Amino acid sequence: MDRRIAVIKRIIIENPGGAVSLAELAEHLNLSPHRLSHLFRDEMAMSFSQYLKQVRIEKARELLENTFLTIKEIRLKIGVNDKSRFARDFKKAFGVTPTRYGSQRIAR
């Protein structure tokens, strides 16, 4: 894997709620945003924004399973302000809403 992409992955995984933009990362890596976008897609087989969303939703699932944070706290912790979009993306990824997922965890 291209080490520049590995750096980006590490930054996102370590701080999924951070306000990370492709343009800022491109500047950090001394690339144009367009070039970084193509490089990222070639290496990861998905766009930067798709990867960021995937990491954030997975982190939300992890927090739902392992903490007693509210869904709002989790949503804000992973950097998602729109509660409808969060619920929709979570359901698309895991088949249930975050509320239902959390209550299933408690019921176990």
Side-chain angles (χ1 to χ4, degrees):
M1 173 177 288
D2 187 294
R3 67 181 180 82
R4 296 169 293 189
I5 300 305
V7 167
I8 292 173
K9 284 179 62 178
R10 190 184 77 244
I11 289 169
I12 292 170
I13 289 169
E14 289 175 359
N15 188 15
V20 179
S21 75
L22 185 68
E24 291 169 339
L25 291 170
E27 185 177 333
H28 176 71
L29 296 171
N30 201 29
L31 296 170
S32 73
H34 183 74
R35 175 68 183 126
L36 180 56
S37 178
H38 282 278
L39 182 63
F40 195 91
R41 187 177 290 278
D42 289 346
E43 287 283 328
M44 299 298 296
M46 67 178 73
S47 71
F48 170 79
S49 60
Q50 288 170 323
Y51 180 74
L52 181 59
K53 183 190 300 185
Q54 177 182 321
V55 169
R56 286 178 170 173
I57 292 298
E58 181 58 37
K59 182 65 174 178
R61 183 195 59 77
E62 180 185 313
L63 291 170
L64 274 169
E65 288 181 357
N66 300 311
T67 69
F68 293 101
L69 295 173
T70 66
I71 291 172
K72 182 179 180 181
E73 290 169 328
I74 290 170
R75 188 172 46 81
L76 295 175
K77 192 172 191 75
I78 64 165
V80 177
N81 294 320
D82 185 337
K83 64 182 176 181
S84 297
R85 176 166 296 283
F86 173 66
R88 189 171 45 250
D89 290 343
F90 192 95
K91 185 173 183 177
K92 185 176 179 182
F94 300 110
V96 294
T97 64
T99 304
R100 175 139 319 168
Y101 192 92
S103 59
Q104 288 174 348
R105 177 188 63 91
I106 292 170
R108 289 183 214 162

